[in-house]
Amino acid sequence: KELIGEAENFKAQTKEEVEAYRIKYLGKKGLVKDFFAEFKNVADDQKKEFGNMVNQLKNTVSDKVTALKEEFESQEEAKGGYGDLSRPSEPIELGSRHPISLVKNQIIDIFSNIGFNVSEGPEIEDDWHNFSALNLPEYHPARDMQDTFFIQTNPDVLLRTHTSSVQVRYMEDNKPPIRTISPGRVFRNEAISSRSHCIFHQVEGLYIDKDVSFADLKQTLLYFTKEMFGKSKIRLRPSYFPFTEPSAEVDIYWGLKTETDYRITKGTGWLEIMGCGMVDPNVLTNCGIDPKEYSGFAFGMGIERIAMLLHQISDIRLFYENDARFLEQFKSAF
Ligand code: PHE
């Protein structure tokens, strides 16, 4: 009873005093809590009265706190109206796009300027679209080039190992002329390290029309590397892909000005950035396009690899960890 009286007569000079008062009674280690803890030791015939008193104390204090807070607030308002309206507001935390999305969008922009559209397809694929249609029949040794995650065998269902599968779908559904790029996530059963991951992203391109030649491919790649990296020296090294013939690996001349240039190009100045080639006639036939009438080229690149080059990122795993300290660095990238 005494305490209730005391609580009722409480007077405060400042907001801080009100807060201290609230904590003394209602805080985590406050008196009200102590009383409730005592409840089990109170004799049965006194429990009711004791409970009432504690509740009364609790209500008295919280009413008092509300009243005093209101009083202080209205005093403040009377003094300064709404406060100083010219003060800067609280900064708002802005989010940013993921570096993979930034680079992907950059690639899409570059190719849409020369008439390529964007096509997408499923991440879970069948054998036909990921392998067979691409001139990789069953038991073909080149299948081992791509360590595949199988979801089911016989008939095979798998996680696509490249977005060439999207190109197959696109050719099946559209008539030439075809100019499309297929960005997307791909999966390979590889050991995770600073340089490779079992999930990564690709952009693959496909151009099919009458009289498309290797010169068109080269010119398109040159245009892309100029736009993307500001570098205008490329070379094509003969290579092998089952779905293109001839096939090539594209290197760009990165230069040897800095120590980083030496490291990433292993002292040669050249950097491999993608694979490409003329679409194999078998692939065209598989997708319902007559190779006597049409020809085309295809290319494919890894987005992570390009993002790592552009932004000097040394570990591919950073892309998938969602560490805000990493992601925040791309706030003003584009
Ligand atoms: N699909 C190939 C890969 O994932 C890349 C590529 C695409 C090569 C098109 C040539 C032509 O490795």
Side-chain angles (χ1 to χ4, degrees):
K1 260 193 196 138
E2 251 170 57
L3 270 177
I4 295 173
E6 212 176 275
E8 210 143 20
N9 289 328
F10 172 73
K11 296 215 166 33
Q13 302 297 322
T14 65
K15 267 181 168 175
E16 288 71 31
E17 280 175 27
V18 181
E19 183 58 9
Y21 166 80
R22 188 190 65 78
I23 290 168
K24 176 179 165 195
Y25 289 95
L26 305 178
K28 274 201 184 115
K29 291 178 184 150
L31 288 169
V32 169
K33 194 117 192 208
D34 289 346
F35 283 130
F36 277 127
E38 264 314 296
F39 194 70
K40 58 178 186 302
N41 302 325
V42 175
D44 277 351
D45 58 342
Q46 286 170 21
K47 269 201 163 79
K48 192 171 170 198
E49 205 197 333
F50 182 82
N52 278 339
M53 296 294 265
V54 179
N55 276 326
Q56 214 179 312
L57 178 65
K58 191 174 134 191
N59 295 336
T60 309
V61 175
S62 61
D63 289 351
K64 192 89 188 174
V65 169
T66 317
L68 285 170
K69 271 193 181 159
E70 264 169 28
E71 208 179 298
F72 277 113
E73 264 157 34
S74 59
Q75 269 176 23
E76 262 168 33
E77 235 169 74
K79 259 191 254 155
Y82 293 102
D84 181 357
L85 292 180
S86 69
R87 279 177 57 196
S89 59
E90 290 279 317
I92 300 165
E93 277 292 328
L94 286 181
S96 58
R97 286 202 192 283
H98 193 279
I100 296 290
S101 301
L102 291 171
V103 173
K104 180 186 81 176
N105 291 342
Q106 232 183 325
I107 298 171
I108 291 175
D109 284 348
I110 291 171
F111 282 105
S112 51
N113 282 343
I114 52 170
F116 281 74
N117 66 9
V118 175
S119 49
E120 286 182 348
E123 293 180 349
I124 297 175
E125 264 300 1
D126 50 34
D127 174 274
W128 173 255
H129 292 96
N130 197 77
F131 289 130
S132 297
L134 289 160
N135 214 20
L136 277 137
E138 222 178 327
Y139 307 121
H140 191 290
R143 283 198 181 197
D144 295 342
M145 279 165 68
Q146 314 204 326
D147 310 279
T148 311
F149 284 118
F150 288 94
I151 290 173
Q152 176 196 297
T153 45
N154 251 331
D156 289 355
V157 178
L158 44 91
L159 296 178
R160 66 181 179 197
T161 59
H162 48 190
T163 54
S164 303
S165 56
V166 181
Q167 305 183 330
V168 172
R169 289 179 180 276
Y170 197 87
M171 285 189 275
E172 285 173 343
D173 297 342
N174 296 276
K175 296 227 161 325
I178 288 172
R179 255 175 282 164
T180 190
I181 52 170
S182 317
R185 196 154 55 153
V186 301
F187 308 83
R188 290 189 197 176
N189 191 0
E190 277 182 39
I192 295 170
S193 71
S194 64
R195 310 223 48 89
S196 66
H197 210 284
C198 56
I199 299 176
F200 59 101
H201 298 74
Q202 279 190 329
V203 176
E204 296 214 351
L206 178 70
Y207 180 21
I208 295 180
D209 204 345
K210 288 184 172 142
D211 303 319
V212 177
S213 73
F214 204 85
D216 297 320
L217 167 60
K218 245 182 132 172
Q219 208 52 44
T220 307
L221 297 174
L222 189 58
Y223 158 77
F224 170 72
T225 50
K226 270 189 201 161
E227 294 286 314
M228 191 75 202
F229 304 102
K231 313 240 181 207
S232 50
K233 197 162 144 190
I234 62 170
R235 75 178 180 193
L236 274 70
R237 269 181 300 112
S239 183
Y240 172 75
F241 298 104
F243 27 88
T244 46
E245 181 60 35
S247 306
E249 218 91 52
V250 184
D251 297 344
I252 58 174
Y253 191 70
W254 198 256
L256 279 175
K257 291 205 192 79
T258 67
E259 228 170 277
T260 318
D261 295 343
Y262 266 92
R263 187 172 47 78
I264 61 177
T265 69
K266 299 197 182 85
T268 65
W270 291 96
L271 255 182
E272 182 192 317
I273 51 159
M274 61 172 121
C276 67
M278 302 305 291
V279 181
D280 193 294
N282 287 344
V283 175
L284 294 177
T285 308
N286 286 341
C287 301
I289 294 172
D290 183 359
K292 286 197 220 59
E293 200 180 344
Y294 292 104
S295 58
F297 63 73
F299 55 85
M301 64 193 116
I303 302 182
E304 279 80 353
R305 184 167 165 73
I306 291 180
M308 287 167 86
L309 287 173
L310 279 178
H311 299 291
Q312 308 202 357
I313 298 161
S314 57
D315 194 321
I316 197 169
R317 289 168 289 201
L318 285 164
F319 290 117
Y320 318 108
E321 281 165 3
N322 279 337
D323 185 330
R325 291 168 302 179
F326 172 67
L327 298 174
E328 271 173 0
Q329 297 177 46
F330 297 91
K331 267 190 182 164
S332 56
F334 299 101

